[in-house]
Amino acid sequence: MATSVFALEPLWLALLLQALAAVLLFLIGALVVGYLEHKVLAHMQDRLGPMEAIWHGIGQLPADGLKFLQKEDIIPTAADRWVFALAPAVAVVPGVVIIAVLPFGPGLWLTDLDAGIFFALAASGVTVLGTLMAGWSSANKFSLMGGLRGAAQLISYELPLVLAAAAIVIQAGTLSLPGIVEAQHGFTLFGVPMIYGVPHIIGLGLFFVAALAELSRPPFDMPIADSELIAGHMTEYTGMRYAFFMLSEYAGMVILSALATVLFLGGWYPWPGVGLPEGAAGMVLGFVITFAKILVLSAIMVWLRATFPRMREDQLQRLSWSVLIPLGLLNVVLVATAKVWF
Amino acid sequence: MSETLPQEGGVMLPGGPGEAMSVEIRDRSLVTQEMNLNIGPQHPATHGVLRVVIDLDGEVIVRARPVIGYMHRGFEKLAEVRDYRQIIALVNRHDWISAFCNELGVALAVERLMELEVPTRAQWIRVLMGEWNRILNHLMFIGSFGLELGAITPVFFSFREREDIQAFLESATGGRLHFTYCRVGGLKEDLPRGFLDASRQMAQTMRSRNDEYRQLLLGNEIFHARTKGVGALAPDVAIDYGVTGPTLHATGVAEDTRLTEPYCVYDQLDVSVPVGTNGDSYDRFVVLLDRIDASLDLIEQVHEGLPGGPVNLKMPKTVKAPKGAVYVRTENPLGQGGYYLVSDGGKTPWRMRMRTPSFSNIQMVPELLEGSLLSDMIAILGSVYFVVGDVDR
């Protein structure tokens, strides 16, 4: 198996490059998916979306970022200053951290942790701390309700997410993300090379639904339900701090899509059994393939946003505890049985 | 918050945010504190400046009190110092999305007081315009209801159709929102060339688009889950509060002024009134969609039967209504509009009282809100159709 391209000497150079790559990937991924959402949503709604900034509005999000930078940073008098100021950072950091273990191509990962999937899911759970901190510290009732909804949602949906991933871990026999891609590369279903997504169709569905809920994307966007809670935990935020929350949402779409790509869609290989050329060409091709898969999944998330109304808080909890979690447990049992059988 | 603080069974002394609350629980049962939440006058859910003060227990609404008056502009008083032509341009502004229907009510009241017989062609065109206005109004609420439930697409679709309809209405009236097309004794002028063709074509398009909304929203599981059984209104409660229009029809009561007290030429047309059965948010929404089809039926009947002739009576320079009083009821898009006009024989009304459907609809809202969830409040407020300007006047 390939080693990371960042396994360089001396160590400080490797660390510097890794940090730079993580932040760049985080920003670029969020911008690309943000632009994708602007455009796909617009065309689904019979309008053009951003058209003015450079060509077809590709400069819209950087321009928005610049605008946010110039905005006044308002902290409400009654707010708990430190927690309020820290919350956006707490929401963003887990995203950057998870990027460290995500493989974007052969050798294109920052580090290959033995417990990679475990680490990624654990870190993604930290995001909600930012939501909760923001909700509590804003000294606003709408924010508080948004924060609490966010926390309740995460507790319910972390389980199906982990259960869906656990089934893949049983199948692949490794927790390492590049390891899972390689194991999937050699996987055959009745002699036909197949991605895990086909036999694990239940798991894929569970993972995708739970990922939507984890990201507070529609139809699970109750924590920020704009018609009820104005903007939930983000109500009191302005300027760059608000932009950080938006950034973490879009980056979250990239990260969870990337995880789904690795777990279910064969990672950087176009199809299991179909290899990539050696060296730099393979890396570039692998990166393009990975990113294409990520964008397809993100586009589906946007599509759902364009068509679905929002669920209600109690309906969301019921869906998780009485449908998704039993289904996830069943899935694990089925996969484990199948694994022993064959 | 302090007024709801002393609770039986426990004492909670909130510190500043961020500081720990000092909580002393005397008995071991769970104490939940009611939270007082002020929704509006500026809040995305209330489309307009309605304010609802609610007391929440968790996410359940214990008490709800709508506070109105943030948009009071004194239309009834303003009408007393304006002559009858100016009033036409005034009354299409309190409920800005059913402008033509409001103009029509006032024109009818003055005409009835003056005992004028309006030319037949004008009456048919009034029906045509009124029904297109009804569709414009319903499109608005179809879009906004989706938006309130978190479906962001329907509003773009319905505004696309609103744009098309406004475009050809503008060709006749010169206005896009405030048409000011009605006059005492007829209309501003006859329909321009090509108007009827545009109207025919739009009626066809609108039918297929209406099916599109049905597929987009009614075909969605989550939409059903969010609206079925939510905010169910009983017919007797609705009648007690004077609720009219689609909100009343959804409860199964087919009271419609176009049938019970026909004005213009509604008695010569085949008017159908779609009704619901349960009176919940879902039924209210379905009734709205069906009413668009019903209005299109009427529009097509007008296309068939529109007679020729003048659209105006010869009127004196100053319109003076004789001494007396008259009450006219019309079926406005949101419900029954009433115009009580008292004249002392001068060129302005002595008093003009308006009964607006939104006002009656909104006073019924606490009945539905109490006991429902905060998220359901949105589904209820979005489907008890009201315009805040129409509530406050």
Side-chain angles (χ1 to χ4, degrees), chain A residues 44-47 78 80 136 139 141-142 145 149 219 226-228 230 305-312 314-315, chain B residues 17-18 35-37 43-45 59 148-153 156 160 220 222 225-226 373-376 378:
Chain A
M44 282 179 176
Q45 294 173 341
D46 212 0
R47 58 195 173 91
D80 187 345
W136 165 245
K141 290 170 187 171
F142 292 109
M145 292 179 77
R149 282 184 181 191
D226 51 351
S227 57
E228 299 160 36
I230 306 174
R305 182 176 174 199
T307 38
F308 274 51
R310 184 180 304 123
M311 283 181 97
R312 210 168 56 200
D314 58 318
Q315 292 165 347
Chain B
M35 181 165 79
N36 179 267
L37 193 64
H43 185 278
E59 292 227 1
E148 271 152 21
L149 290 181
I152 50 178
T153 306
F156 289 102
R160 174 186 64 193
N220 193 311
I222 299 178
R226 284 297 305 276
L373 292 171
L374 181 64
S375 311
D376 286 342
I378 309 309

Side-chain angles (χ1 to χ4, degrees), chain A:
Chain A
M1 195 167 70
T3 50
S4 167
V5 285
F6 292 99
L8 296 170
E9 289 294 330
L11 188 64
W12 64 266
L13 182 69
L15 285 178
L16 192 73
L17 280 177
Q18 282 177 347
L20 197 69
V23 173
L24 271 181
L25 264 173
F26 180 82
L27 286 175
I28 292 172
L31 286 179
V32 169
V33 169
Y35 179 68
L36 178 91
E37 166 150 282
H38 271 57
K39 284 312 240 190
V40 171
L41 203 55
H43 288 299
M44 282 179 176
Q45 294 173 341
D46 212 0
R47 58 195 173 91
L48 291 173
M51 288 298 286
E52 298 298 322
I54 318 179
W55 178 82
H56 277 251
I58 50 168
Q60 187 63 47
L61 282 168
D64 281 347
L66 279 177
K67 186 198 72 178
F68 278 127
L69 267 178
Q70 301 163 43
K71 294 279 180 189
E72 188 187 354
D73 178 28
I74 300 169
I75 299 183
T77 332
D80 187 345
R81 296 188 68 89
W82 281 102
V83 182
F84 187 84
L86 265 178
V90 174
V92 164
V93 165
V96 186
V97 171
I98 297 169
I99 286 196
V101 294
L102 290 178
F104 285 95
L108 288 177
W109 56 81
L110 305 187
T111 175
D112 177 14
L113 284 186
D114 284 340
I117 179 71
F118 178 72
F119 176 81
L121 291 176
S124 84
V126 178
T127 327
V128 77
L129 205 57
T131 312
L132 207 53
M133 283 165 70
W136 165 245
S137 65
S138 296
N140 180 318
K141 290 170 187 171
F142 292 109
S143 302
L144 183 61
M145 292 179 77
L148 289 178
R149 282 184 181 191
Q153 191 162 321
L154 186 101
I155 291 168
S156 318
Y157 280 84
E158 195 80 334
L159 268 171
L161 198 70
V162 171
L163 285 174
I168 295 291
V169 171
I170 294 171
Q171 173 88 57
T174 170
L175 279 165
S176 146
L177 290 169
I180 289 173
V181 174
E182 292 298 347
Q184 199 167 174
H185 189 52
F187 176 66
T188 53
L189 186 68
F190 304 116
V192 184
M194 193 58 72
I195 51 172
Y196 282 165
V198 174
H200 284 261
I201 186 77
I202 302 174
L204 178 58
L206 281 175
F207 191 88
F208 194 72
V209 171
L212 281 176
E214 181 120 346
L215 291 168
S216 301
R217 293 279 308 173
F220 305 110
D221 58 338
M222 278 73 87
I224 47 168
D226 51 351
S227 57
E228 299 160 36
L229 301 180
I230 306 174
H233 59 281
M234 303 188 289
T235 306
E236 296 286 352
Y237 281 89
T238 53
M240 218 42 215
R241 293 188 206 281
Y242 176 76
F244 265 39
F245 278 118
M246 298 306 288
L247 201 63
S248 83
E249 181 185 334
Y250 288 127
M253 282 169 77
V254 179
I255 287 161
L256 283 168
S257 300
L259 272 178
T261 304
V262 168
L263 294 179
F264 298 99
L265 302 181
W268 61 79
Y269 291 107
W271 193 259
V274 183
L276 287 172
E278 288 291 316
M283 276 186 198
V284 173
L285 202 60
F287 185 78
V288 170
I289 289 169
T290 313
F291 228 84
K293 289 176 181 174
I294 290 174
L295 288 184
V296 168
L297 286 175
S298 303
I300 295 174
M301 292 186 183
V302 175
W303 180 18
L304 291 177
R305 182 176 174 199
T307 38
F308 274 51
R310 184 180 304 123
M311 283 181 97
R312 210 168 56 200
E313 192 62 25
D314 58 318
Q315 292 165 347
L316 161 119
Q317 298 288 348
R318 199 169 301 131
L319 175 70
S320 173
W321 292 102
S322 63
V323 179
L324 297 186
I325 292 176
L327 213 59
L329 289 169
L330 183 73
N331 187 36
V332 170
V333 171
L334 283 179
V335 170
T337 316
K339 178 84 175 171
V340 174
W341 209 273
F342 298 109

